[in-house]
Amino acid sequence: MKEIKEQVEACRKACEHHLSKELLPFWLDRCKDEKNGGYITHFDKDGNDTGEDEKSMLGQARIVYIFSSAYRNGHGGEQSKEFASHGVDFLLDKMWDKEHDGFYWLTDRAGNALINEKIIYGHSFAIYSLSEYTLATGDKRGIEYAEKCFDLLQKHCADTHFGGYFEMFDRNWKLKGPGAAGGDRKTLDVHMHLMEAYTTLYECTGKEVHRRKLLETIELLIDKVLHPKYRTGVPQFFADWSVAPQIKFDIVWGWDRFSDDGSKGNAEDNTSYGHNVEFAWLLMHALDILKIPISEYGDIIQKQYDHALADGIDWEYGGVYVEGSHAGGVYDKEKEFWQNAEMLIALTQACEVLDMEKYWPVYMNVHKFVFDKQINHEVGEWWPLLTRQGEPIWTHMSHNWKINYHSVRSMIETLNRLRTIEEKV
Amino acid sequence: MKEIKEQVEACRKACEHHLSKELLPFWLDRCKDEKNGGYITHFDKDGNDTGEDEKSMLGQARIVYIFSSAYRNGHGGEQSKEFASHGVDFLLDKMWDKEHDGFYWLTDRAGNALINEKIIYGHSFAIYSLSEYTLATGDKRGIEYAEKCFDLLQKHCADTHFGGYFEMFDRNWKLKGPGAAGGDRKTLDVHMHLMEAYTTLYECTGKEVHRRKLLETIELLIDKVLHPKYRTGVPQFFADWSVAPQIKFDIVWGWDRFSDDGSKGNAEDNTSYGHNVEFAWLLMHALDILKIPISEYGDIIQKQYDHALADGIDWEYGGVYVEGSHAGGVYDKEKEFWQNAEMLIALTQACEVLDMEKYWPVYMNVHKFVFDKQINHEVGEWWPLLTRQGEPIWTHMSHNWKINYHSVRSMIETLNRLRTIEEKV
């Protein structure tokens, strides 16, 4: 096993170097907004502040998560703790709606609300980040507001008819209208990230109600959200959990590609390899926190890996394709940052708990692509989107919807797993 | 129409007399617990206090509802208001769990908890009663605690996987175990009474979230709880809304008849005529408060009346049978107080908004049976259970689970409808 041990060691060192010498310095050097509080989140291809005058609660919360997780895992030292606390100040002082509760969706840099609506995707990250912040630092403000968000979701968003959560609300928690407003839709994205959020919330509080709602969310995802046959993720549903053709919402949190008219090819048969393996490792992490054996969901987890590996890996140029059909076949062969980031975690997780021999060569493929192509080493962050061959298409280093949640988390989580693997091989 | 107008007038006068000269005096003369606060709720066949040293939150809340509704509808004058407020004092001071929130299920007369568990059937009545109390008196304490209960239900009881609400919890809101403990069951009873409770809550607050959860509950009842073909009520379900054979729970709130071993004949095909028409008139009341035309649910409402009238009315001895099959056929021909009470309201409601000619003769049948047999005029309250022919089987005038919620509400609501009908015929 000497050769593999050396490979693991080399990958581990590459991740350590990237995290400590490139990624964290990129953020520690430029994201703190000393004037207004919170974080600056828009950087061009050279890492220069683009000056865009907005802050999203999603972006701010995700960076709080990143500095909290970095501190908790021993990266960045006291500076990480200080940066996390700095972001919590802005979230609670500027982004919290003191009249109707919940977080505004978008403010300007100074913290004046630009979009005061309540978006559950963002609130799932508020719960995740503020719980991680308290776990990392002991500062109780985090969990206090994480629990407030949890309570708001149960009161205003849970659908007591069909189960799950509605996702798009006006400032006063009035459910939005149908269609692009999103009030009649439910998504894989929100429900998967609620699993992620409730896992860390429960890890922090140990409360029975947080455990129960986490279990309900897991069962809901498996029962309603995953494809009944392939167990891959189905992106969008109507309120009654019948599959809805994928549409673009008025308020977005990423760059899923739609045509100019908001329509999408293969809108009813589309699944993301990166999202599916992210689901798999987040589920395994939730089970770990719940102290439930992974084997109880072994079949589902295996199917998600099998589907992603059968179609999602580019064995010619390396890395992970964007998306394809549930039944098989790739629709989009470009390479986006976050699917590659999540695949690294998912593959080291699989090496650790499923099958080293099977998954290690796949990890090596994606690792090489990420370190050769996806990372802009000169500047420190990841290119957002590459051609299949690895040429940059989009070139910004950060935006509200990119920031450092996937890149830094990938390095922290992958490193933890590489260290465990290195001990074992 | 002269003859019918005289019949309506005579019935209206009989109800007025019974309410003002028999029923309300029965309660105003004996239920106020001057020593401990709250109400005494156990009276024997002669109306004497049996001395039973317990108070249920359900019984206390229901009497608060009754005095609030009486006051709101002009019965019993200031004494009704004073009695309602007296009951609210006890509920909030003695029965509210200041550590875990929510109401204890059972206390002794002094207010010491005997069963500190949290039962959602009782909480639905707390919401109903405390909202009606604020509507009647303007005292904001009622709606403050009604909203607290609503929030607790959304947080701890809503099932975010399958929809609806779990119903049986430990003191600290931990969901109870399966089977007789009830933690894996959902019932028609609780969900119908949540519709009733949310109707009055929304009437009081006008809040969007209360309207939305009321609508979700109505749709859930129609979609999951009513029999898909006959639209009659199915008593018990598992968490996923598959039909569960009717079992007796460890904590009960009525006297549904079970064998000594807790089993029930026809446990998988059983429906209550009185409960079904109670559902129909409560649904029409909810639609009225929501300002939704009854016609949108006309087919369902009609089927419930048709089923109850086809099998549930005793044309030989008068009154309403206890229960029977969804498809047709009566299992239990005895006469219980509450089904007859609800039938009176439902039939005057049907006379008012559906078809006077069709429903008036049925009302006359049930009215005659109630006034000839079910009411113990000498004492002032209703016999709990009679033989088919009208001889008392059970003879107590009150118990925690009987009190005056059905009898007094029946007279108040029937009177309101008889007065409208009398104007029109």
Side-chain angles (χ1 to χ4, degrees):
Chain A
M1 295 293 281
K2 185 150 183 289
E3 196 195 342
I4 286 191
K5 201 177 180 79
E6 280 166 7
Q7 288 173 6
V8 176
E9 188 188 356
C11 290
R12 188 254 301 160
K13 285 182 174 168
C15 290
E16 279 171 352
H17 177 83
H18 176 52
L19 179 60
S20 64
K21 305 295 180 197
E22 296 173 344
L23 257 184
L24 280 176
F26 178 94
W27 292 97
L28 290 168
D29 285 352
R30 47 170 72 71
C31 80
K32 195 169 176 184
D33 186 342
E34 299 282 3
K35 182 179 162 209
N36 300 294
Y39 310 113
I40 293 168
T41 52
H42 291 77
F43 301 106
D44 67 16
K45 73 178 181 5
D46 302 312
N48 297 315
D49 179 1
T50 67
E52 190 150 343
D53 191 15
E54 61 176 43
K55 285 176 177 157
S56 74
M57 64 83 86
L58 176 66
Q60 301 295 310
R62 283 177 158 188
I63 301 182
V64 165
Y65 172 84
I66 282 305
F67 285 121
S68 301
S69 174
Y71 183 67
R72 196 177 169 201
N73 286 278
H75 307 288
E78 289 303 307
Q79 221 187 346
S80 287
K81 182 180 179 182
E82 184 212 320
F83 270 57
S85 181
H86 176 82
V88 170
D89 294 344
F90 187 82
L91 271 175
L92 305 194
D93 295 347
K94 302 288 188 180
M95 297 195 132
W96 183 260
D97 180 348
K98 290 171 187 71
E99 190 180 339
H100 295 284
D101 290 337
F103 290 104
Y104 301 125
W105 178 242
L106 201 73
T107 68
D108 62 16
R109 288 197 178 188
N112 302 299
L114 299 176
I115 300 178
N116 59 22
E117 288 156 333
K118 306 294 161 65
I119 308 302
I120 303 316
Y121 187 76
H123 283 78
S124 75
F125 280 95
I127 294 171
Y128 185 49
S129 302
L130 291 166
S131 301
E132 182 76 8
Y133 172 72
T134 294
L135 281 165
T137 67
D139 180 349
K140 300 287 186 207
R141 289 184 305 157
I143 199 63
E144 180 192 342
Y145 278 82
E147 290 205 60
K148 275 182 205 270
C149 290
F150 174 84
D151 291 357
L152 284 167
L153 262 59
Q154 309 318 310
K155 176 169 178 176
H156 293 286
C157 314
D159 176 0
T160 62
H161 180 192
F162 293 112
Y165 297 82
F166 291 110
E167 303 179 2
M168 304 278 202
F169 294 84
D170 294 338
R171 181 187 171 191
N172 65 0
W173 295 98
K174 184 175 191 297
L175 184 61
K176 284 181 171 290
D184 64 342
R185 297 298 208 281
K186 293 171 179 169
T187 68
L188 161 64
D189 220 10
V190 162
H191 289 80
M192 183 182 90
H193 288 294
L194 285 175
M195 172 174 77
E196 175 188 51
Y198 291 178
T199 299
T200 305
L201 176 67
Y202 173 60
E203 186 183 6
C204 188
T205 67
K207 286 187 182 175
E208 164 66 21
V209 67
H210 298 150
R211 180 183 179 89
R212 182 148 46 83
K213 298 292 170 180
L214 170 56
L215 284 167
E216 286 174 12
T217 301
I218 291 172
E219 293 303 321
L220 178 82
L221 283 159
I222 286 167
D223 186 27
K224 307 284 189 190
V225 178
L226 298 188
H227 192 288
K229 181 172 173 190
Y230 303 107
R231 306 321 245 148
T232 38
V234 178
Q236 289 184 17
F237 298 85
F238 293 110
D240 66 358
W241 296 106
S242 58
V243 174
Q246 240 182 310
I247 56 168
K248 187 174 179 181
F249 295 124
D250 295 337
I251 288 185
V252 296
W253 47 75
W255 280 291
D256 282 350
R257 260 73 51 77
F258 290 87
S259 309
D260 287 344
D261 64 354
S263 69
K264 184 159 183 115
N266 314 299
E268 298 187 54
D269 173 27
N270 201 34
T271 194
S272 159
Y273 311 111
H275 211 272
N276 291 335
V277 297
E278 184 182 7
F279 182 96
W281 83 257
L282 286 173
L283 173 59
M284 285 189 269
H285 177 57
L287 295 172
D288 184 43
I289 297 296
L290 288 163
K291 300 195 194 321
I292 292 172
I294 288 170
S295 56
E296 288 197 19
Y297 298 85
D299 177 54
I300 286 162
I301 290 165
Q302 194 58 59
K303 281 190 171 165
Q304 291 175 331
Y305 276 99
D306 288 349
H307 181 274
L309 265 57
D311 276 12
I313 303 295
D314 184 345
W315 287 102
E316 189 173 351
Y317 296 98
V320 184
Y321 297 130
V322 171
E323 55 198 15
S325 160
H326 295 283
V330 184
Y331 296 138
D332 184 342
K333 295 193 171 179
E334 290 173 352
K335 310 287 166 63
E336 213 168 347
F337 70 106
W338 66 266
Q339 292 97 328
N340 283 279
E342 296 306 321
M343 189 63 86
L344 291 181
I345 308 174
L347 289 171
T348 47
Q349 172 74 13
C351 287
E352 186 183 329
V353 305
L354 299 178
D355 185 341
M356 180 71 187
E357 209 172 326
K358 175 174 173 185
Y359 291 102
W360 182 250
V362 194
Y363 175 80
M364 287 288 288
N365 168 325
V366 181
H367 178 98
K368 186 171 185 320
F369 181 83
V370 165
F371 279 78
D372 288 355
K373 303 287 187 179
Q374 199 84 49
I375 297 171
N376 181 358
H377 292 281
E378 211 174 302
V379 178
E381 249 290 343
W382 297 30
W383 298 108
L385 183 69
L386 309 174
T387 62
R388 183 184 171 193
Q389 291 76 14
E391 289 304 309
I393 299 171
W394 296 340
T395 59
H396 58 275
M397 287 292 101
S398 178
H399 180 285
N400 271 336
W401 317 134
K402 177 175 183 285
I403 50 103
N404 54 12
Y405 156 72
H406 287 289
S407 57
V408 179
R409 185 172 76 164
S410 177
M411 287 300 101
I412 293 172
E413 296 292 331
T414 299
L415 252 179
N416 286 344
R417 288 163 179 77
L418 287 173
R419 286 170 178 165
T420 307
I421 297 165
E422 200 176 341
E423 296 279 311
K424 290 204 294 193
V425 290
Chain B
M1 295 292 277
K2 186 151 183 291
E3 198 195 341
I4 286 189
K5 199 175 182 78
E6 281 165 7
Q7 288 173 6
V8 177
E9 187 187 359
C11 290
R12 188 257 299 161
K13 285 183 173 169
C15 290
E16 279 171 352
H17 178 82
H18 176 52
L19 179 59
S20 64
K21 305 296 181 193
E22 296 173 343
L23 257 183
L24 281 176
F26 177 95
W27 291 97
L28 292 168
D29 286 352
R30 49 171 71 70
C31 80
K32 195 169 175 183
D33 185 342
E34 298 283 3
K35 183 180 162 208
N36 300 296
Y39 310 114
I40 293 167
T41 52
H42 292 76
F43 301 106
D44 68 15
K45 74 178 183 4
D46 302 312
N48 296 313
D49 179 1
T50 67
E52 190 150 341
D53 191 16
E54 61 176 45
K55 285 176 177 156
S56 74
M57 65 81 88
L58 177 66
Q60 302 294 309
R62 283 177 158 187
I63 301 183
V64 165
Y65 173 83
I66 282 305
F67 285 122
S68 301
S69 174
Y71 183 68
R72 197 176 170 202
N73 286 277
H75 307 290
E78 289 303 307
Q79 221 187 344
S80 288
K81 183 180 178 181
E82 183 210 320
F83 270 57
S85 181
H86 175 82
V88 170
D89 294 344
F90 188 83
L91 272 174
L92 305 194
D93 296 346
K94 301 289 188 179
M95 297 194 131
W96 184 259
D97 180 346
K98 291 172 186 68
E99 190 180 340
H100 295 283
D101 291 338
F103 290 104
Y104 300 126
W105 179 241
L106 201 73
T107 68
D108 62 16
R109 287 197 179 187
N112 302 298
L114 300 176
I115 300 178
N116 59 23
E117 289 157 329
K118 307 293 162 64
I119 309 301
I120 303 317
Y121 188 76
H123 283 78
S124 76
F125 279 95
I127 294 171
Y128 185 49
S129 302
L130 291 166
S131 301
E132 181 77 9
Y133 172 71
T134 295
L135 282 165
T137 67
D139 180 349
K140 299 288 186 207
R141 289 183 304 156
I143 199 63
E144 180 192 342
Y145 278 81
E147 291 204 60
K148 276 181 204 272
C149 289
F150 174 85
D151 291 356
L152 284 167
L153 261 60
Q154 309 319 310
K155 176 169 178 175
H156 293 287
C157 314
D159 176 359
T160 62
H161 180 192
F162 293 113
Y165 297 82
F166 291 110
E167 304 180 0
M168 305 277 201
F169 294 84
D170 294 337
R171 183 187 170 192
N172 64 359
W173 295 99
K174 185 175 189 299
L175 183 61
K176 284 178 171 291
D184 65 342
R185 297 298 207 282
K186 295 172 178 168
T187 68
L188 161 63
D189 220 9
V190 162
H191 290 79
M192 182 182 92
H193 288 294
L194 285 175
M195 172 174 79
E196 175 188 50
Y198 291 178
T199 299
T200 305
L201 176 67
Y202 173 60
E203 185 184 4
C204 187
T205 68
K207 285 187 182 174
E208 164 66 19
V209 67
H210 297 150
R211 181 184 178 89
R212 183 148 46 86
K213 298 292 171 179
L214 170 56
L215 284 167
E216 286 174 12
T217 301
I218 290 172
E219 293 303 320
L220 177 82
L221 283 160
I222 286 166
D223 187 27
K224 306 284 189 189
V225 178
L226 298 187
H227 192 289
K229 180 172 174 190
Y230 302 107
R231 305 321 246 148
T232 39
V234 178
Q236 290 183 17
F237 298 85
F238 293 111
D240 67 357
W241 295 106
S242 58
V243 175
Q246 240 181 312
I247 56 167
K248 188 174 179 180
F249 295 123
D250 295 337
I251 288 185
V252 297
W253 47 75
W255 280 292
D256 283 348
R257 259 74 52 76
F258 290 88
S259 309
D260 286 344
D261 65 354
S263 71
K264 182 156 186 121
N266 313 299
E268 297 190 51
D269 174 26
N270 201 34
T271 194
S272 158
Y273 311 111
H275 212 273
N276 291 336
V277 297
E278 184 182 6
F279 182 96
W281 85 256
L282 287 173
L283 173 58
M284 285 190 270
H285 177 56
L287 295 171
D288 184 44
I289 296 296
L290 289 164
K291 301 198 196 315
I292 293 173
I294 288 170
S295 56
E296 289 196 17
Y297 297 85
D299 178 55
I300 286 161
I301 290 165
Q302 193 59 58
K303 280 189 171 166
Q304 291 176 329
Y305 276 101
D306 289 349
H307 181 274
L309 266 57
D311 276 11
I313 304 296
D314 184 346
W315 286 102
E316 189 174 350
Y317 295 99
V320 184
Y321 297 131
V322 171
E323 55 198 17
S325 161
H326 295 283
V330 184
Y331 298 137
D332 183 343
K333 295 194 171 179
E334 291 173 350
K335 309 290 166 60
E336 214 169 346
F337 71 105
W338 67 265
Q339 292 95 328
N340 283 278
E342 296 306 319
M343 188 64 86
L344 291 180
I345 308 173
L347 289 170
T348 47
Q349 172 73 15
C351 287
E352 189 184 326
V353 305
L354 299 178
D355 186 340
M356 179 71 187
E357 208 172 326
K358 176 176 172 183
Y359 292 102
W360 182 251
V362 194
Y363 175 80
M364 286 290 286
N365 168 323
V366 181
H367 178 99
K368 187 171 185 320
F369 182 83
V370 165
F371 279 79
D372 288 355
K373 303 287 187 178
Q374 199 85 48
I375 298 171
N376 180 357
H377 291 280
E378 212 174 303
V379 177
E381 248 291 342
W382 297 29
W383 298 108
L385 184 68
L386 309 173
T387 63
R388 181 183 173 194
Q389 291 76 15
E391 290 303 309
I393 300 171
W394 295 339
T395 59
H396 58 273
M397 287 293 97
S398 179
H399 180 285
N400 272 336
W401 317 134
K402 178 175 184 282
I403 51 104
N404 55 12
Y405 157 72
H406 287 290
S407 57
V408 178
R409 184 172 75 165
S410 176
M411 287 300 100
I412 292 172
E413 295 294 331
T414 300
L415 251 178
N416 286 344
R417 288 164 178 78
L418 286 173
R419 285 171 179 164
T420 307
I421 296 166
E422 201 177 338
E423 296 277 311
K424 290 204 294 192
V425 290

